[in-house]
Amino acid sequence: MNDLHTEEDVRGLLRLCLDPGRGVERAPLQLTKVMPQALRDAVEQYVPHLAGLREAAELQ
């Protein structure tokens, strides 16, 4: 998770987490509930509109 230095790095990891293959797909809200702090920090920096999803997930 140390390679989250650019917006594209973060978006690429999020795409992989949402659709890792083998028929597994996750909803963005599911992902925000389980993402580690390092990814949360990167999302808030590079993809700020997703931070709102994380906050909504935590409220639930």
Side-chain angles (χ1 to χ4, degrees):
M1 190 119 19
N2 295 330
D3 297 334
L4 301 175
H5 301 292
T6 69
E7 181 178 346
E8 187 55 37
D9 292 342
V10 174
R11 289 179 182 272
L13 180 60
L14 290 173
R15 277 191 296 277
L16 179 63
C17 291
L18 290 170
D19 187 7
R22 301 179 312 274
V24 175
E25 288 187 28
R26 295 178 186 94
L29 190 57
Q30 290 172 309
L31 178 60
T32 62
K33 290 179 180 180
V34 298
M35 69 173 56
Q37 189 62 46
L39 182 54
R40 287 181 181 196
D41 295 342
V43 165
E44 288 181 8
Q45 180 178 359
Y46 295 115
V47 196
H49 67 279
L50 292 181
L53 283 177
R54 181 185 59 106
E55 290 170 11
E58 288 177 352
L59 288 174
Q60 291 182 2

